[in-house]
Amino acid sequence: EVQLVQSGAEVKKPGESLKISCRGSKNSFTNYWIAWVRQMPGKGLEWMGIIYPGDSETKYSPSFQGQVTISADKSISTAYLQWSSLKASDTAMYYCATAEKHTSGYDYWGQGTLVTVSS
Amino acid sequence: QSVLTQPPSASGTPGQRVTISCSGSSSNIGSNTVHWYQQLPGTAPKLLIYSNNQRPSGVPDRFSGSKSGTSASLAISGLQSEDEADYYCAAWDESLNSVFGGGTKLTVL
């Protein structure tokens, strides 16, 4: 079973940068894809992008391309979601999740990281 | 506006059978498998059905999925109070990204 542990809640100001993390099970981290999913307050799930830590192949949603950066460090079994300049509209819960293939269902999910952006 | 269309709400009484639809297009549901997620209040989503009709280990057989053409459905039989949750369909789109439905809030009356 894969376990995903996400970094803690963040409170940031508009314009600030942020990098949140998702740490996976050490033994199999390079054998599956990791997706990032946004959920704005009271809203539905939005797919942001996905990365294969084994070779860092990354795919982005057109809605998030250029707005965020997805990366991974397989040496420490961790995936990241990064913003260079946060906006108030980035306030949301962010989940990471694993998939056997990029087209597969997401079978394991992190607990979520709440990001609040407010002046 | 989500790429996959779901009814915003559904309801049923305990013991009833409820279905939730998910409508897409040839570039997503028509070309790839559909997955369903259950999100209980205040928790992370959980994979309920994958590859159109497969249940992960531990998911009761009261939950079933089907797909036909560019549409899919999730059926819940023997409805229970603990099934009250938000349900989302998802599929890979040939434009090289995954898409979710807007979600359906299921109320058990």
Side-chain angles (χ1 to χ4, degrees):
Chain A
E1 180 176 323
V2 176
Q3 289 194 332
L4 298 177
V5 179
Q6 297 186 230
S7 49
E10 301 274 1
V11 179
K12 291 288 190 179
K13 290 181 166 40
E16 290 186 331
S17 62
L18 176 64
K19 193 173 189 177
I20 62 175
S21 65
C22 170
R23 181 168 49 85
S25 304
K26 197 171 186 180
N27 292 340
S28 56
F29 189 72
T30 56
N31 295 339
Y32 49 81
W33 293 76
I34 294 186
W36 287 95
V37 176
R38 183 175 80 172
Q39 188 167 38
M40 299 176 75
K43 302 298 184 182
L45 305 176
E46 297 175 270
W47 188 81
M48 301 178 73
I50 196 167
I51 188 166
Y52 188 72
D55 61 7
S56 292
E57 181 181 353
T58 308
K59 303 177 191 298
Y60 290 94
S61 162
S63 299
F64 292 94
Q65 178 87 48
Q67 308 304 308
V68 298
T69 301
I70 294 171
S71 60
D73 184 343
K74 61 185 179 182
S75 69
I76 54 171
S77 304
T78 301
Y80 301 97
L81 179 64
Q82 182 175 3
W83 294 261
S84 58
S85 180
L86 286 160
K87 301 184 279 287
S89 56
D90 293 318
T91 294
M93 181 72 82
Y94 294 87
Y95 294 102
C96 62
T98 62
E100 185 179 305
K101 297 184 292 186
H102 65 273
T103 56
S104 302
Y106 300 144
D107 43 8
Y108 297 101
W109 291 70
Q111 82 276 20
T113 296
L114 180 62
V115 174
T116 303
V117 183
S118 175
S119 54
Chain B
Q1 189 91 9
S2 302
V3 175
L4 303 182
T5 302
Q6 297 180 236
S9 63
S11 63
T13 56
Q16 256 190 337
R17 183 176 187 270
V18 170
T19 62
I20 296 172
S21 62
C22 176
S23 177
S25 69
S26 58
S27 65
N28 41 66
I29 294 179
S31 306
N32 296 288
T33 58
V34 178
H35 319 296
W36 290 90
Y37 301 90
Q38 177 193 58
Q39 187 176 32
L40 297 169
T43 69
K46 168 190 167 184
L47 183 64
L48 202 61
I49 297 288
Y50 68 97
S51 298
N52 302 330
N53 55 17
Q54 302 298 302
R55 279 188 311 277
S57 173
V59 173
D61 59 7
R62 303 187 295 106
F63 295 91
S64 62
S66 64
K67 175 184 132 173
S68 178
T70 59
S71 294
S73 291
L74 171 71
I76 309 171
S77 59
L79 197 62
Q80 299 180 3
S81 57
E82 56 260 41
D83 298 334
E84 190 158 288
D86 295 324
Y87 293 85
Y88 297 89
C89 60
W92 183 258
D93 191 284
E94 294 303 312
S95 61
L96 301 182
N97 68 102
S98 187
V99 288
F100 283 99
T104 298
K105 184 177 183 62
L106 176 63
T107 301
V108 181
L109 302 168

